[in-house]
């Protein structure tokens, strides 16, 4: 199993996604002799998972069933264990596009955090690219190495435990893109410039506060970056539902009834259009925004090395 290569069957040691519904899923490490408890009953890894195809419908001990899905960066973002605040697909999609990433690209990242963006970057630059990711916190760096190894992508990523603001990324003049998600990104702009290739490399900085963005933009100008621009990506989800509304009485139908001698109480007139206008309701599909949505995640500042 690998997050960048699809495997057909579930094997011992794989990470799989147990799908109970769109709002209910979780990752599980498949191990021989292990069981996983769900609200539908027990899943026995040896008999219910190992050797089965990904996407299979698995019946649990209580008679309910789940789907077992192959892991992807998108599914991992929704289900990973949170060691830090993470980036979600809304921001990740624009980051990979605006940094102009493709298979073979070299990317530097700081900090690694929970690895949400890291998995998406690895999938994008595979099979010949590489990710150099720097994490200040030692335990988080070690956990990230362990996850990359379990997910079969360790050959595509190098995890370094150091302070990027003081020691940089450990590489020079090779990166096609740099991504910063740290409290003081302006202190790492010089190291980012050193890591980027001679000309045309792209940089992105993620910050939740506009004051951080201002200082970062000033540092980018100081180091000669061009095409500096800041984006805020907002996701607005609509809830589509069926709505029933009574047709309003605008008066015209009543006037027509009186002038033509129409009797709505007469059973023979019950199916007429006028009767429907007077007494009926209409159903239609309506889309309304959710009452509670994430209004702000952070600001994305992009620039180009001149």
């Amino acid at each position: 199993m690998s997050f960048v290569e699809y495997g057909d069957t579930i094997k011992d040691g794989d990470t799989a996604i147990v799908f109970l519904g769109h709002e209910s899923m979780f990752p599980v490490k498949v191990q021989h002799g292990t069981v996983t408890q769900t609200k539908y009953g027990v899943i026995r890894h040896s008999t219910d998972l190992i050797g089965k195809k990904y996407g299979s419908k698995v019946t649990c001990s209580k008679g309910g069933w789940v789907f077992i899905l192959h892991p992807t960066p998108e599914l991992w973002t929704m289900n990973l264990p949170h060691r830090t605040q993470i980036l979600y697909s809304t921001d990740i999609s624009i980051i990979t596009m605006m940094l102009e990433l493709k298979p073979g690209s070299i990317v530097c990242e700081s900090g690694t955090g929970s690895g949400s963006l890291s998995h998406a970057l690895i999938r994008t630059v595979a099979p010949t690219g590489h990710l150099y990711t720097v994490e200040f916190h030692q335990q988080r760096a070690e956990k990230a190495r362990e996850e990359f190894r379990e997910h079969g992508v360790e050959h595509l990523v190098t995890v370094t435990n150091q302070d990027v603001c003081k020691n940089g990324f450990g590489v020079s003049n090779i990166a096609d893109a740099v991504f910063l998600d740290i409290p003081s990104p302006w202190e790492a702009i010089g190291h980012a410039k050193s890591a980027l290739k001679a000309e045309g490399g792209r940089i992105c900085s993620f910050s939740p506060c506009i004051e951080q963005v201002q200082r970062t933009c000033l540092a980018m100008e100081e180091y000669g970056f061009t095409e500096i621009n800041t984006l805020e990506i907002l996701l607005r989800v609509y809830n589509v539902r069926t709505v029933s509304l009574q047709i309003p009485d605008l008066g015209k139908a009543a006037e027509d009834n009186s002038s033509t001698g129409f009797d709505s109480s007469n059973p023979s007139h019950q199916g007429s259009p006028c009767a429907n206008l007077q007494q009926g309701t209409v159903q239609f599909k309506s889309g309304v925004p959710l009452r509670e949505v994430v209004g702000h995640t952070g600001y994305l500042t992009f620039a180009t090395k001149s």
Side-chain angles (χ1 to χ4, degrees), residues 149-171:
R149 184 170 56 253
E150 291 178 352
H151 298 165
V153 296
E154 71 276 9
H155 61 291
L156 298 170
V157 57
T158 299
V159 182
T160 305
N161 173 219
Q162 63 186 29
D163 186 352
V164 70
C165 296
K166 295 180 180 179
N167 306 113
F169 293 94
V171 296

Side-chain angles (χ1 to χ4, degrees), residues 18-26 39-40 65-67 78:
V18 179
F19 180 90
L20 294 84
H22 289 289
E23 301 297 329
S24 180
M25 61 184 100
F26 59 90
K39 62 181 181 181
Y40 300 126
W65 47 266
V66 299
F67 289 105
M78 298 171 63

Side-chain angles (χ1 to χ4, degrees), residues 95-97 99-103 105-107 121 124-125 176-177:
I95 289 170
T96 55
M97 184 186 74
L99 290 182
E100 301 174 2
L101 301 182
K102 60 185 182 299
S105 295
I106 306 297
V107 187
L121 294 177
T124 303
V125 304
D176 297 290

Side-chain angles (χ1 to χ4, degrees), residues 29-69:
K29 184 174 181 180
V30 180
Q31 293 178 311
H32 185 76
T34 303
V35 298
T36 297
Q37 294 283 350
T38 74
K39 62 181 181 181
Y40 300 126
V42 172
I43 301 174
R44 296 175 176 81
H45 293 200
S46 300
T47 57
D48 297 333
L49 299 183
I50 297 176
K52 300 291 182 63
K53 289 187 176 183
Y54 278 106
S56 297
K57 181 178 178 180
V58 174
T59 303
C60 304
S61 61
K62 293 182 180 179
W65 47 266
V66 299
F67 289 105
I68 307 299
L69 306 181

Side-chain angles (χ1 to χ4, degrees), residues 265-283:
S265 62
N266 190 331
S268 63
H269 294 160
Q270 291 300 315
S272 66
C274 292
N276 289 335
L277 286 173
Q278 287 293 333
Q279 302 174 4
T281 60
V282 61
Q283 291 187 337

Side-chain angles (χ1 to χ4, degrees), residues 61-107:
S61 61
K62 293 182 180 179
W65 47 266
V66 299
F67 289 105
I68 307 299
L69 306 181
H70 191 284
T72 65
E74 291 81 7
L75 289 175
W76 186 246
T77 291
M78 298 171 63
N79 295 282
L80 58 78
H82 285 226
R83 300 183 288 273
T84 60
Q85 292 290 334
I86 69 169
L87 291 178
Y88 290 92
S89 298
T90 308
D91 291 312
I92 292 173
S93 59
I94 197 70
I95 289 170
T96 55
M97 184 186 74
M98 294 294 288
L99 290 182
E100 301 174 2
L101 301 182
K102 60 185 182 299
S105 295
I106 306 297
V107 187

